[in-house]
Amino acid sequence: MSVFPVILSQEKFIHRDSLKFPLEERALQFGDGIYEVIRIYNGTYYLFDEHIDRLFRSTEAIKIKLSHSKEEIKNLLLELLERNNMAENGKVYMQISRGSAPRDHVFPTNVEPNIYAYVQAVPRNLVTLKNGVGVITHRDIRWENCYIKSLNLLPNVMAKQEAKEQGCYEAILHKDGVVTECSSSNVYLVKDGKIYTHPTTRNILHGCVRMAIERFVTDLNIPLIEEPFMLDDIANADELFLSSSTSEITPIITVDGSPVKDGMPGEITRKLQAAYEKDANIIENLIANA
Ligand code: PDD
């Protein structure tokens, strides 16, 4: 996944090799910043407004004062695609930190936030989308403000690595048996035709793909119940799936080595995958036509 040559740095478009930050940068030293990952299909941002709104919710939550409006950030990100002649499937990573200043826990004064963004080509993972993935379960040891898309991802990184070491794709996180979300995605359980997922409290990130799913279920007439489910409920689940900008809507077929139901992607998951492809104007429509 190589980075396209033109990157956005503050308000300038520069070559990726010329991005320079000093040692004393708040994101590097404190993780004092936030980020967004936005999916791109055929050179167009998907769920663009949802991501930009969340970006601003995150900066406000940690008291970073941006001098840009939402429209200005959107225009910069659009120009980034144009300058790279980006016309394929991919993603943009945008990071905003409190800025560069001598190391001190207290916020610096009169310091502008550091903003950068870069684009990468990312093909859709058709194998996992079609076949589903295995996950592990893992304690959720994160802080109390997981609704902020903060750069502090160490517990998420540790959980995902544990999943990888066990030959799995993701880690379902739980607080005392209550399932919150996954290390880098939201998670849902289907039982008797209803979808259950954790309410959008401070304990989880309100995913932009989840926001799209909230629309799809209305059209499909599938009840979405925003109530947490327990680890113990998984053994009797009909289906399990996860969602994120990079994983789209991916079926979960095993949990800690045990199959979910018959170990095959479920019917409701497939319907949502088809709705996703339609909503994102994905040309291949591989899931929908499977
Ligand atoms: N992760 N929950 C967590 C903890 C996440 O990190 C993510 C996204 C999501 C899903 O959010 P969305 O649907 O807006 O992508 C839920 C991104 C992709 C990442 O960190 O790479």
Side-chain angles (χ1 to χ4, degrees):
M1 278 199 285
S2 66
V3 174
F4 280 51
V6 182
I7 62 167
L8 171 69
S9 172
Q10 309 301 57
E11 295 206 338
K12 294 200 180 69
F13 293 92
I14 59 172
H15 191 271
R16 62 183 170 217
D17 296 339
S18 46
L19 179 69
K20 292 203 174 38
F21 284 123
L23 275 178
E24 294 191 298
E25 206 280 334
R26 305 277 304 185
L28 290 173
Q29 294 190 319
F30 298 107
D32 186 0
I34 58 93
Y35 74 104
E36 274 297 328
V37 176
I38 313 177
R39 199 73 163 98
I40 300 163
Y41 292 113
N42 304 302
T44 304
Y45 290 119
Y46 180 50
L47 304 173
F48 200 20
D49 285 332
E50 288 83 344
H51 283 282
I52 299 300
D53 286 347
R54 190 173 64 191
L55 182 88
F56 276 74
R57 279 202 298 281
S58 295
T59 50
E60 278 157 26
I62 67 165
K63 301 182 181 169
I64 287 183
K65 287 195 180 60
L66 276 182
S67 49
H68 303 76
S69 66
K70 286 184 185 174
E71 227 34 56
E72 283 164 348
I73 294 283
K74 279 174 78 173
N75 288 337
L76 288 169
L77 288 175
L78 288 169
E79 191 170 341
L80 182 64
L81 292 189
E82 260 173 49
R83 285 183 182 249
N84 282 298
N85 294 318
M86 171 59 173
E88 52 202 284
N89 292 345
K91 66 179 180 189
V92 67
Y93 177 84
M94 177 171 239
Q95 180 172 305
I96 302 181
S97 83
R98 201 176 304 281
S100 307
R103 187 176 182 279
D104 183 352
H105 286 65
V106 173
F107 294 174
T109 45
N110 301 322
V111 167
E112 278 298 305
N114 285 330
I115 302 178
Y116 72 80
Y118 60 87
V119 180
Q120 286 172 296
V122 187
R124 301 179 68 212
N125 193 340
L126 295 172
V127 175
T128 53
L129 288 170
K130 279 188 180 168
N131 300 343
V133 296
V135 302
I136 61 162
T137 56
H138 194 282
R139 270 179 62 220
D140 188 346
I141 57 160
R142 299 173 303 161
W143 71 328
E144 290 177 356
N145 290 315
C146 296
Y147 73 101
I148 303 169
K149 206 155 171 58
S150 139
L151 295 176
N152 294 270
L153 292 175
L154 199 47
N156 309 57
V157 167
M158 298 301 285
K160 189 109 174 193
Q161 180 62 21
E162 181 68 35
K164 168 100 193 227
E165 285 172 13
Q166 294 192 35
C168 285
Y169 184 84
E170 251 292 21
I172 289 184
L173 305 180
H174 68 93
K175 282 190 172 27
D176 296 325
V178 177
V179 173
T180 49
E181 58 182 332
C182 289
S183 73
S184 61
S185 48
N186 293 118
V187 66
Y188 312 76
L189 178 146
V190 180
K191 182 72 186 164
D192 299 331
K194 296 184 183 127
I195 304 172
Y196 295 83
T197 195
H198 197 285
T200 50
T201 62
R202 286 174 168 250
N203 286 337
I204 67 160
L205 186 77
H206 193 179
C208 294
V209 178
R210 173 182 170 146
M211 294 174 204
I213 290 173
E214 286 161 10
R215 282 192 280 113
F216 304 158
V217 292
T218 315
D219 294 344
L220 293 166
N221 222 354
I222 303 169
L224 174 70
I225 299 170
E226 299 191 58
E227 271 172 25
F229 60 92
M230 308 290 292
L231 277 184
D232 289 348
D233 295 325
I234 293 175
N236 297 315
D238 296 330
E239 301 177 33
L240 220 61
F241 63 91
L242 57 84
S243 76
S244 83
S245 299
T246 34
S247 300
E248 302 185 3
I249 297 169
T250 297
I252 297 174
I253 54 165
T254 64
V255 179
D256 291 332
S258 302
V260 177
K261 192 86 174 183
D262 55 5
M264 300 286 285
E267 199 186 316
I268 288 187
T269 310
R270 286 286 188 241
K271 282 188 184 161
L272 292 173
Q273 287 182 311
Y276 182 98
E277 285 188 333
K278 201 165 153 229
D279 197 58
N281 286 317
I282 294 170
I283 294 165
E284 312 104 60
N285 283 141
L286 286 159
I287 299 297
N289 297 330

